[in-house]
Amino acid sequence: MVTVKIWGSLKEAAGGRSELRVEAANIRQLLQRLGAEYPRLQPQLKRGVSVSVDGRIYRDAWFTELKEDSEIVLLPRLSGG
Amino acid sequence: MPLDHPQDLTIKDFKIVGQRPLRPDGIDKVTGRARFGADMNAPGMLVGRVLRSPHAHARIKSIDSAKAEALPGVKAVVTGADFGAVKDGLDDGMLDVLVNCMAQDKALYDGHAVAAVAAISQTVARQALKLIEVDYEVLPHVLDVDAAMQPDAPVLHEEAADESVPAGFSKNVVRRYEFGHGDVAKGFAEADRIVERRFKTEAAHQGYIEPHACLAAMGPDGQAELWVCTQGHYMVRNTCAALLGMDASQLRVTASEIGGGFGGKTTVFIEPLALALSRKAGRPVKMTMSREEVFRATGPTSSSSIDVKIGMTREGRITAASGELRYQGGAFPGSPVEFGAMSAFAAYDVENVKTVGWDVVANRPKQAAYRAPGAPMAAYAVESVIDELCKQFDLDPLSVRLKNAAVEGTTSSFGVTYGKIGLSATLEAARAHPHYSAALGPNQGRGLACGFWFNFGGETCVSLNVNADGTVGLSVGTPDIGGSRASMCQMAAEELGIAYDKVRTVVADTASLGYNDVTDGSRVTFASGLATIQAARDAIRKLCGRAARMWGIDEDAVIWEEGYAKPAGGNAGSFEPLSLAEIAAVSARTGGPIAGHTEVNADGAGQSFATHLVDSEVDPETGKVKILRYTVFQDAGKAIHPSYVEGQFQGGAVQGIGWALNEEYIYGEDGRLQNPGFLDYRVPVASDLPMIDTVIVEVPNPGHPYGVRGVGETSIVPPLAAIANSVSAAAAVRMTHLPMSPPRIRKAIEEAAGR
């Protein structure tokens, strides 16, 4: 079980909570579980997200391992110039 | 074999990294030999040109191109209808790219493409454009972000808003983002003083010197080649293939040299049109944008309207901060307001913080990225309010920033807890610099501001080939927009233990390497550099393997040191070390070519921070601003080629000076852009500028073997704010609207004086 922080405007789609607990061992499972347990998050998940794990931000890294005590933060998908 | 170095920043004393060797593209660029987008030609080549909407908002009732097609010398005409077959299969983002490249049912901004022709000459192509009859129904338009949010504003799209927008808003409001933590009401209650202000910034263009250009050639078998000036030729390939209904494998894209991009060349504009024209005409088609087209129809940054509120104790501690950011991103969803909202307070350790971002559409060209997209405007608003609070409390602005600076372990305003970061180091460097204590004269002011950018890595693939003569060819897939070929040569040479000039780096075409993300996000020195190091280590493993076979010992018993394969110790046997060149010379007989290869999804780019210090003088009679001194302090993690790093710092500062003082999209009442040229859109030139001084701070990024952090974007985050703080001090009035052009400054001075 890991805890993921979501950004403020997603809270409503997640029952008003800013931290969600899901069963996930890696980022792929995290995104799958979030979509399954909180269907109203699916549009944003489909548009794309980044995931920060212990301060390191991943855009596409399904198999990054998540630990029980990892700080996991969902972020809009990063891009740059 | 003990060659799998951990990502350990103490691996070596650098011999080549950190030096300033000659740039490999220098001679070509100063002699004119370098080939840019418009420098490629092909037998039988046609000229492509685009017909653009003269209206800011209009329904396209019909397009009749019969007369143009009948004109001798015209070989093809394409309109929105030519892309109809693929539209249904595109996702929303890709559909927007298509509609931006070629209008479908509506023209959404002045300059929006409505048709394109391919003809035997520029003259014929221009004549043909005049013969295309477009029947428009002109619609009301809206340009300003606040006006576009009004309930009665003209609506661009009926269904562009996503689920994040609450009911009751204008249909032009298409996204809402919220970030933060803590309890801002509680935090504001703890403040000794609160300042709340509204700021506006106008749209600025990246102002790259080279206009967009490409040469497309598609054969009757559907195989196509595209030569193009871009920051990402793999992106161009995938996008164009989708928009033309092609297999990606059938389109080979080669990136030309690039005369600036700054984020503006991270999407496509004319490339799909050139391919569509070539497909229809059966001949190569070259397209080159005019400067006017670049301004009217490519992607400037968003204009913005921002409210910021900050509470502070009299000792200078920020107790709460909030911001509401409204960015118009042109005629399509996708302004970078989420990055503005995430980055606004990212430089500070604030217990109670909240930002809300609104993405708004308006009848302007679709915005494109511009170095740290969305962050400079947010930093301008936040740093201006911090500056004002410092003045009200009579506190040193640098000390206040240090007191509140984010450090390792700070939970950022966007939720991520920072690892090692260098903001405080940049502030300390600024304090120690003579600029901070230089004397100021009358009508002069000093401004200080900090800035943050995320940086990222992304998909990256490189190949490193060891040639039989002991030289090395390195193929990367990221166009070189800031000196990356030199940096890659340095990192490869450092790993291999050979001279810098023994390595040549080329930007390979899309058929030669796996997918590479666009050159953006300040990612190339980090990500392609990381991949280069790994490819070099892969090649070293193979070099050691060849040496082991020649010596008849186990591969694990060979180490690589300073360019030589050596026995790992006494037990491995006694052999004369073999150099890379010696091993390469016999590679044909020891197993064939030696190469290293990497494909990686590079992560761990490491956040980047900067502090800018600027002195300016305001002429109270004319409102003209002169920049007197400018110093950039930025954390580069590790500067691979310090001259290029300094160049990035200086370039960001200069572009920021233009954005802060002069650059602005000016529209008439009719919604048409009035200043689409460098005479009327005023970018800074050398005579406008002092020498931009730079200080490279190095707080190594643990996510890179050498500690590299990207440097290309952060340098444009603080300038708007630093210059605004300087000018506000010099003019003795808070400047809340960018650019601070002479008329705006005069008006502000007069209003402050009650005139």
Side-chain angles (χ1 to χ4, degrees):
Chain A
M1 210 66 153
V2 297
T3 303
V4 56
K5 287 197 269 185
I6 59 174
W7 69 87
S9 36
L10 295 183
K11 270 167 50 177
E12 193 195 340
R17 282 177 289 169
S18 56
E19 292 192 354
L20 309 177
R21 295 274 292 162
V22 291
E23 198 69 57
N26 59 36
I27 288 178
R28 185 187 194 193
Q29 290 176 11
L30 172 75
L31 299 179
Q32 286 174 337
R33 296 309 309 163
L34 285 175
E37 294 178 26
Y38 303 94
R40 290 173 62 204
L41 289 178
Q42 280 177 359
Q44 180 61 51
L45 296 173
K46 190 177 168 197
R47 282 194 294 275
V49 293
S50 297
V51 180
S52 171
V53 181
D54 293 326
R56 180 176 285 208
I57 297 175
Y58 299 85
R59 287 208 309 183
D60 299 286
W62 275 359
F63 306 116
T64 300
E65 184 187 359
L66 306 178
K67 295 177 185 154
E68 286 270 329
D69 59 349
S70 293
E71 180 199 72
I72 304 165
V73 186
L74 205 64
L75 300 168
R77 187 172 174 80
L78 291 181
S79 63
Chain B
M1 188 175 56
L3 284 165
D4 289 315
H5 304 287
Q7 293 195 351
D8 178 356
L9 304 173
T10 61
I11 54 173
K12 60 181 76 179
D13 294 324
F14 294 110
K15 292 186 169 55
I16 297 169
V17 163
Q19 302 299 309
R20 300 171 187 253
L22 287 177
R23 57 191 296 165
D25 52 331
I27 296 292
D28 280 359
K29 284 182 175 165
V30 298
T31 59
R33 208 170 75 95
R35 290 179 301 172
F36 291 87
D39 289 331
M40 187 62 84
N41 298 300
M45 185 178 80
L46 302 172
V47 174
R49 290 203 67 85
V50 177
L51 181 67
R52 300 189 179 278
S53 168
H55 305 294
H57 196 192
R59 194 171 312 287
I60 299 170
K61 295 165 73 176
S62 65
I63 300 176
D64 184 350
S65 60
K67 290 178 187 169
E69 289 173 49
L71 183 70
V74 172
K75 302 299 181 186
V77 178
V78 298
T79 67
D82 288 272
F83 296 92
V86 300
K87 272 170 58 179
D88 289 344
L90 302 177
D91 64 26
D92 289 349
M94 196 64 88
L95 183 59
D96 286 348
V97 172
L98 169 61
V99 177
N100 189 47
C101 289
M102 182 60 78
Q104 299 293 308
D105 57 337
K106 286 209 295 186
L108 293 163
Y109 55 90
D110 167 45
H112 197 168
V114 295
V117 302
I120 57 171
S121 68
Q122 288 278 6
T123 305
V124 174
R126 285 200 183 92
Q127 288 173 339
L129 292 185
K130 291 177 182 170
L131 294 173
I132 297 174
E133 295 171 356
V134 184
D135 186 10
Y136 292 105
E137 175 194 349
V138 178
L139 302 170
H141 64 270
V142 62
L143 300 165
D144 177 75
V145 62
D146 292 318
M149 293 180 74
Q150 296 303 310
D152 58 349
V155 171
L156 277 75
H157 310 283
E158 287 298 323
E159 293 181 351
D162 74 12
E163 74 287 347
S164 65
V165 181
F169 280 81
S170 160
K171 290 176 179 171
N172 295 329
V173 180
V174 293
R175 305 271 188 277
R176 178 183 180 277
Y177 297 92
E178 182 185 320
F179 302 93
H181 55 250
D183 181 344
V184 289
K186 171 178 157 287
F188 284 126
E190 294 167 358
D192 292 316
R193 187 162 288 179
I194 295 168
V195 167
E196 184 172 13
R197 280 208 183 264
R198 172 165 294 190
F199 299 86
K200 292 201 84 157
T201 67
E202 297 302 329
H205 196 274
Q206 300 85 352
Y208 34 80
I209 299 304
E210 185 194 12
H212 298 259
C214 66
L215 171 63
M218 189 183 299
D221 56 0
Q223 293 189 56
E225 306 270 340
L226 184 67
W227 166 268
V228 59
C229 163
T230 179
Q231 289 177 239
H233 45 313
Y234 292 85
M235 171 278 298
V236 170
R237 179 196 64 182
N238 289 5
T239 305
C240 289
L243 301 190
L244 281 102
M246 300 171 63
D247 291 341
S249 62
Q250 297 303 301
L251 176 58
R252 184 172 73 127
V253 183
T254 305
S256 70
E257 289 287 352
I258 183 168
F262 314 109
K265 292 175 181 169
T266 57
T267 184
V268 296
F269 298 104
I270 52 175
E271 297 82 357
L273 309 185
L275 283 161
L277 287 167
S278 178
R279 177 164 64 184
K280 210 163 184 178
R283 287 168 63 171
V285 175
K286 181 159 145 181
M287 298 186 79
T288 307
M289 274 189 167
S290 66
R291 180 60 58 184
E292 179 179 331
E293 287 180 296
V294 171
F295 275 111
R296 289 174 69 205
T298 64
T301 189
S302 294
S303 60
S304 75
S305 166
I306 303 173
D307 296 320
V308 164
K309 180 178 178 182
I310 298 177
M312 188 181 278
T313 65
R314 58 177 56 85
E315 292 78 28
R317 183 75 205 171
I318 296 172
T319 59
S322 66
E324 184 146 342
L325 302 88
R326 298 165 292 272
Y327 289 11
Q328 68 75 26
F332 300 89
S335 83
V337 73
E338 72 270 41
F339 303 139
M342 291 164 75
S343 66
F345 297 103
Y348 300 108
D349 184 357
V350 184
E351 191 178 335
N352 306 294
V353 60
K354 178 182 176 182
T355 54
V356 174
W358 299 94
D359 180 13
V360 182
V361 295
N363 293 112
R364 293 173 179 243
K366 186 181 195 308
Q367 72 83 38
Y370 184 10
R371 291 176 107 148
M377 310 84 125
Y380 159 55
V382 168
E383 296 285 320
S384 292
V385 172
I386 292 175
D387 190 66
E388 193 165 343
L389 280 160
C390 292
K391 282 194 163 40
Q392 290 187 12
F393 284 124
D394 194 24
L395 294 170
D396 173 44
L398 195 152
S399 300
V400 167
R401 285 171 172 83
L402 260 179
K403 185 188 284 277
N404 293 284
V407 296
E408 184 175 3
T410 294
T411 298
S412 68
S413 53
F414 56 96
V416 173
T417 300
Y418 291 128
K420 278 195 182 306
I421 54 173
L423 174 60
S424 296
T426 67
L427 282 160
E428 295 289 5
R431 193 201 290 281
H433 196 279
H435 183 164
Y436 198 60
S437 52
L440 291 169
N443 300 316
Q444 296 180 356
R446 174 161 300 144
L448 175 84
C450 298
F452 156 87
W453 186 243
F454 304 91
N455 293 339
F456 65 82
E459 287 186 75
T460 310
C461 181
V462 310
S463 278
L464 183 149
N465 295 304
V466 179
N467 303 317
D469 65 355
T471 61
V472 168
L474 178 66
S475 297
V476 299
T478 38
D480 178 357
I481 64 171
S484 56
R485 279 169 293 188
S487 301
M488 298 307 127
C489 288
Q490 286 179 273
M491 286 186 265
E494 185 77 47
E495 284 293 320
L496 295 168
I498 61 176
Y500 167 79
D501 59 7
K502 295 293 183 189
V503 185
R504 184 177 182 199
T505 301
V506 299
V507 180
D509 63 62
T510 56
S512 302
L513 289 172
Y515 182 83
N516 278 266
D517 272 327
V518 172
T519 294
D520 69 352
S522 304
R523 78 177 206 88
V524 169
T525 309
F526 168 78
S528 291
L530 185 148
T532 293
I533 291 166
Q534 292 184 354
R537 292 177 183 179
D538 187 31
I540 287 171
R541 283 186 203 97
K542 292 165 185 171
L543 288 161
C544 287
R546 301 295 174 90
R549 292 180 74 182
M550 284 192 276
W551 289 332
I553 63 177
D554 289 343
E555 289 186 19
D556 286 349
V558 181
I559 58 169
W560 190 262
E561 281 183 355
E562 299 184 353
Y564 287 84
K566 298 175 181 175
N571 292 338
S574 178
F575 303 99
E576 278 298 306
L578 286 169
S579 70
L580 180 144
E582 289 169 323
I583 299 169
V586 295
S587 59
R589 279 157 276 164
T590 61
I594 298 171
H597 190 76
T598 304
E599 53 280 316
V600 63
N601 201 341
D603 293 298
Q607 293 90 359
S608 170
F609 291 87
T611 296
H612 285 208
L613 192 57
V614 56
D615 296 350
S616 67
E617 180 174 314
V618 173
D619 182 336
E621 296 294 319
T622 64
K624 184 178 187 303
V625 175
K626 183 178 183 186
I627 303 295
L628 304 171
R629 299 182 196 87
Y630 201 116
T631 312
V632 177
F633 309 86
Q634 185 172 324
D635 177 16
K638 174 64 189 174
I640 301 298
H641 191 305
S643 297
Y644 279 121
V645 172
E646 290 160 358
Q648 292 286 347
F649 291 4
Q650 293 167 322
V654 171
Q655 289 189 306
I657 290 169
W659 196 345
L661 296 182
N662 290 298
E663 295 182 36
E664 175 176 9
Y665 267 50
I666 299 171
Y667 284 93
E669 289 293 320
D670 58 0
R672 301 194 66 182
L673 185 62
Q674 294 188 328
N675 58 337
F678 279 143
L679 282 177
D680 298 314
Y681 181 95
R682 182 72 162 77
V683 299
V685 296
S687 57
D688 295 322
L689 302 164
M691 185 64 193
I692 309 291
D693 200 1
T694 57
V695 175
I696 300 173
V697 173
E698 293 185 328
V699 177
N701 168 25
H704 185 276
Y706 296 171
V708 167
R709 295 178 197 267
V711 296
E713 296 175 286
T714 306
S715 54
I716 205 170
V717 181
L720 312 189
I723 297 161
N725 289 341
S726 170
V727 170
S728 297
V733 57
R734 178 60 52 184
M735 296 302 300
T736 58
H737 192 166
L738 300 185
M740 296 174 289
S741 56
R744 269 197 197 111
I745 289 178
R746 269 182 54 88
K747 183 165 178 274
I749 291 174
E750 287 173 2
E751 284 176 358
R755 281 179 270 167

